[in-house]
């Protein structure tokens, strides 16, 4: 029973991390196209919040020793920043 719960938790962490990467990608696209200062500011705040959540789930992955998954997620974020 305990292993099943851990598998569910691991799956949730991986799902959330992938979801956050996609949200970061989409928000960066919106930021790049924004012209109004208010929208630019809003996207900056949104990106910071998404980054904080992303870092949280990466920390969880490290703590649960999901090293392969952790390595998978650290590379795409760098690509998104460019």
């Amino acid at each position: 029973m305990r292993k099943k719960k851990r598998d569910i938790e691991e799956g949730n962490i991986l799902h959330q991390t992938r979801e956050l990467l996609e949200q970061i990608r989409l928000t960066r696209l919106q930021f790049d196209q924004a012209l109004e200062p208010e929208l630019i500011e809003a996207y900056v705040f949104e990106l910071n919040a998404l980054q904080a959540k992303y870092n949280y789930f990466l920390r969880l992955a490290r703590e649960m020793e999901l090293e392969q998954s952790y390595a998978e997620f650290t590379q795409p974020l760098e690509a998104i920043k460019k």
Side-chain angles (χ1 to χ4, degrees), residues 1-78:
M1 189 65 115
R2 208 171 188 98
K3 180 163 174 40
K4 188 173 186 178
K5 182 178 179 185
R6 181 178 167 92
D7 289 344
I8 291 170
E9 289 174 0
E10 289 177 1
N12 184 43
I13 290 170
L14 298 177
H15 173 75
Q16 290 294 328
T17 307
R18 286 186 183 105
E19 178 89 13
L20 285 164
L21 278 175
E22 181 62 14
Q23 289 175 356
I24 290 170
R25 186 186 71 77
L26 292 173
T27 303
R28 284 196 180 277
L29 289 173
Q30 292 171 321
F31 172 82
D32 289 342
Q33 296 179 6
L35 299 175
E36 298 296 322
E38 295 90 349
L39 287 176
I40 292 170
E41 183 178 12
Y43 290 129
V44 168
F45 282 111
E46 187 173 349
L47 284 168
N48 286 334
L50 290 169
Q51 182 67 49
K53 288 180 186 178
Y54 179 79
N55 291 338
Y56 169 76
F57 281 102
L58 281 182
R59 183 176 55 79
L60 288 180
R62 262 185 265 133
E63 289 173 1
M64 293 184 78
E65 299 177 351
L66 300 175
E67 293 300 327
Q68 180 180 5
S69 300
Y70 174 74
E72 173 188 343
F73 292 120
T74 54
Q75 293 302 320
L77 187 58
E78 292 303 317

